[in-house]
Amino acid sequence: MKPPLVLLALFLLFTPQAQAAHVNVIELDNQIISPVTQQYILDALARSEREQAACLILMLDTPGGLLESTRAIVKGVMNAKVPVVVYVAPSGARAGSAGVFITLASHIAAMAPSTNIGAAHPVAVGGGGGPVKKLIRRIKRVVKEGSTKPEQPHEEELVEEEEHDPMAEKILNDTVAWITTIAKARHRNQEWAKKAVTESVSVTETEAVKEQIVDLIAKDLEELLRKIDGWPVETAGGTATLSTAQAVVVRLPMTARQRFLAVVTNPSIAYLLMLLGTLGLIFEFTHPGIGFPGIAGLICVILAMFAFQTLPINYAGLALMGLGVLLLIAEVKVISYGLLTLGGVIALTLGSLMLVESPEPALRISLSVIGPMVITLTALVLFVVQRAVRAQSQPVATGPQGMIGELGVASTDVHLEGQVFVHGELWAAVSAAPIKQSERVRVVGVKGLRLTVEKT
């Protein structure tokens, strides 16, 4: 082999080969923004930075979510050293509420056809979130010329006035300032961003591009990769030019743990776990020794408590639910003629409605879940009450007391002593009055192994 060829072979052998460019893709499919999705996105950001991916694409479809989780995601995207592309997709998806902030914070924002973005108005705890308009009735009175007294009411009119909540205004102003700084940093429409918060405006994908809210429209992931190829992007690590046309797509799904936690932290699932766990514990207390209902109930309650830590829980609602369950259980021991049951149902229903404090419908517990669960829990408790009352009203069937009232036949003459046949057995018996053999007798007392009987 000639020397130049040997040198070329050695050069190719010891020179590291360039890795093919790739993009990481993560997806939120109609999921709320919660601590679980927050961790999912931040982990994908960290992995993309380690792997030096061409970019991280977040396919977004969300109705909104928790404010604190949204802030953490936005902070991570704004300070990412890898380009972040938020793609509101597939068709029919939406970037609502929290999704607006995440989309505006991205380096490149794209939307699929037939999608929408907007409605980021914050709502304070208890349903506030801004001025409340009220209609009041104003009465006009007419004063005649030369008179000091007004005449009778002459005309009525309805006037619209606003009541202001200082805390709600504080939250609103803070959110407006936050979304404005995000839009300004990414050179997007600041006026629309303000309106998305103050007026809950929402636009389609074509309007979003026209209003400079997002950068482009792409029908699918392949078209998106072609369109953003060659785009210059300013990241926390410096300026980068995207090379995505021939990049390999690497999808990063949620881990099994994250999928499980995402299901558990769903408000409706957490609510079901709480009530199912309560039912299991009630069954274990009323039927001790079985074991499985108590163990399963305790596991469900612990999982529900974990989920409640990640949700905006109203502890007054949780206390009302506990009171409702206690009142239903108390119906077993106390004769209230249904009063405790009625109070328990009311407390349980009110507590269920108050349990999650959130303006987002996706974070609230649906009435279609609350109604059946309250009815089921009440029906089961009443069933237990009915069975307990029936058991208490039945006579004793075992032990010495179980013999009293039983009927039998005198096997011999019975007076101061004798024998009777009761329950298929011969018993020693005494009687206050003489009883002849073969006459029917009734047990009226038991002392040791001797029965006291009387003639029926």
Side-chain angles (χ1 to χ4, degrees):
M1 184 179 291
K2 296 182 179 180
L5 294 178
V6 173
L7 294 176
L8 179 60
L10 292 174
F11 176 77
L12 293 175
L13 181 64
F14 292 103
T15 300
Q17 302 296 313
Q19 295 182 350
H22 75 279
V23 297
N24 290 335
V25 178
I26 59 177
E27 184 175 0
L28 295 183
D29 184 10
N30 196 29
Q31 295 186 8
I32 61 175
I33 304 302
S34 66
V36 178
T37 52
Q38 167 195 333
Q39 192 62 48
Y40 174 48
I41 295 173
L42 296 182
D43 287 348
L45 270 174
R47 176 172 173 175
S48 299
E49 290 179 353
R50 290 195 308 269
E51 296 176 350
Q52 296 182 349
C55 65
L56 173 65
I57 299 177
L58 168 58
M59 296 183 66
L60 184 65
D61 178 14
T62 178
L66 302 177
L67 182 61
E68 291 304 316
S69 297
T70 305
R71 286 188 178 274
I73 294 171
V74 169
K75 186 186 296 184
V77 172
M78 297 288 288
N79 293 279
K81 296 180 181 180
V82 61
V84 178
V85 181
V86 172
Y87 180 34
V88 183
S91 295
R94 57 177 169 165
S97 191
V100 177
F101 295 87
I102 299 172
T103 304
L104 292 179
S106 63
H107 299 99
I108 298 175
M111 297 177 70
S114 303
T115 55
N116 65 284
I117 182 173
H121 182 76
V123 182
V125 171
V132 179
K133 294 183 178 180
K134 293 179 64 178
L135 287 175
I136 64 171
R137 189 177 302 277
R138 179 177 294 172
I139 302 175
K140 291 183 178 180
R141 296 178 183 270
V142 179
V143 181
K144 291 184 178 180
E145 187 176 353
S147 174
T148 58
K149 295 183 178 180
E151 299 294 329
Q152 292 298 318
H154 179 69
E155 186 179 350
E156 294 183 358
E157 63 176 351
L158 292 176
V159 181
E160 196 176 67
E161 289 190 354
E162 291 184 349
E163 286 185 352
H164 293 273
D165 181 358
M167 182 57 67
E169 290 184 352
K170 185 177 180 180
I171 295 173
L172 181 64
N173 293 335
D174 178 70
T175 309
V176 168
W178 182 38
I179 201 169
T180 302
T181 57
I182 295 173
K184 182 179 180 181
R186 297 301 187 214
H187 307 290
R188 296 200 166 95
N189 192 329
Q190 299 179 40
E191 292 302 318
W192 181 90
K194 292 179 182 178
K195 289 182 179 180
V197 173
T198 58
E199 302 177 18
S200 296
V201 296
S202 184
V203 294
T204 63
E205 76 284 358
T206 54
E207 294 170 330
V209 173
K210 182 179 179 181
E211 296 288 337
Q212 297 181 351
I213 302 164
V214 300
D215 302 303
L216 57 98
I217 299 173
K219 66 179 181 180
D220 53 30
L221 189 59
E222 293 181 1
E223 183 177 348
L224 175 66
L225 293 176
R226 289 197 306 270
K227 286 188 174 182
I228 65 176
D229 184 55
W231 280 42
V233 176
E234 188 69 31
T235 67
T239 304
T241 301
L242 293 179
S243 178
T244 58
Q246 304 298 325
V248 178
V249 175
V250 178
R251 295 186 179 271
L252 306 178
M254 281 188 172
T255 63
R257 174 180 176 273
Q258 289 172 336
R259 288 196 301 270
F260 173 74
L261 294 180
V263 172
V264 170
T265 53
N266 183 289
S268 295
I269 299 298
Y271 175 74
L272 291 175
L273 286 173
M274 184 67 184
L275 291 190
L276 289 175
T278 303
L279 282 175
L281 293 177
I282 291 174
F283 192 86
E284 183 65 31
F285 291 149
T286 55
H287 300 77
I290 297 179
F292 175 75
I295 296 172
L298 190 59
I299 293 173
C300 289
V301 169
I302 293 174
L303 289 175
M305 290 301 178
F306 166 78
F308 287 165
Q309 289 182 337
T310 66
L311 296 171
I313 294 299
N314 183 338
Y315 290 100
L318 190 60
L320 277 174
M321 288 184 61
L323 175 62
V325 172
L326 290 177
L327 289 176
L328 291 175
I329 296 174
E331 187 70 49
V332 178
K333 300 294 184 181
V334 180
I335 301 175
S336 67
Y337 302 100
L339 183 61
L340 290 177
T341 301
L342 179 61
V345 170
I346 293 175
L348 192 59
T349 303
L350 292 177
S352 301
L353 293 173
M354 296 169 54
L355 184 60
V356 179
E357 294 180 327
S358 175
E360 302 293 342
L363 285 176
R364 293 197 294 264
I365 302 172
S366 172
L367 285 174
S368 61
V369 175
I370 293 175
M373 286 305 298
V374 171
I375 293 173
T376 302
L377 182 61
T378 304
L380 288 175
V381 171
L382 290 179
F383 174 75
V384 172
V385 170
Q386 184 262 345
R387 298 289 292 181
V389 171
R390 177 180 293 181
Q392 291 175 357
S393 62
Q394 290 180 351
V396 179
T398 59
Q401 295 299 321
M403 294 292 294
I404 296 177
E406 291 294 326
L407 299 177
V409 178
S411 298
T412 64
D413 291 342
V414 179
H415 185 29
L416 298 178
E417 62 180 15
Q419 289 184 331
V420 294
F421 190 77
V422 180
H423 260 320
E425 297 175 325
L426 284 175
W427 292 80
V430 297
S431 173
I435 300 174
K436 294 182 179 181
Q437 184 179 1
S438 301
E439 287 186 333
R440 301 277 294 174
V441 297
R442 177 187 292 112
V443 179
V444 295
V446 180
K447 187 175 182 180
L449 296 178
R450 187 183 296 272
L451 304 180
T452 302
V453 297
E454 65 180 9
K455 185 168 62 173
T456 61

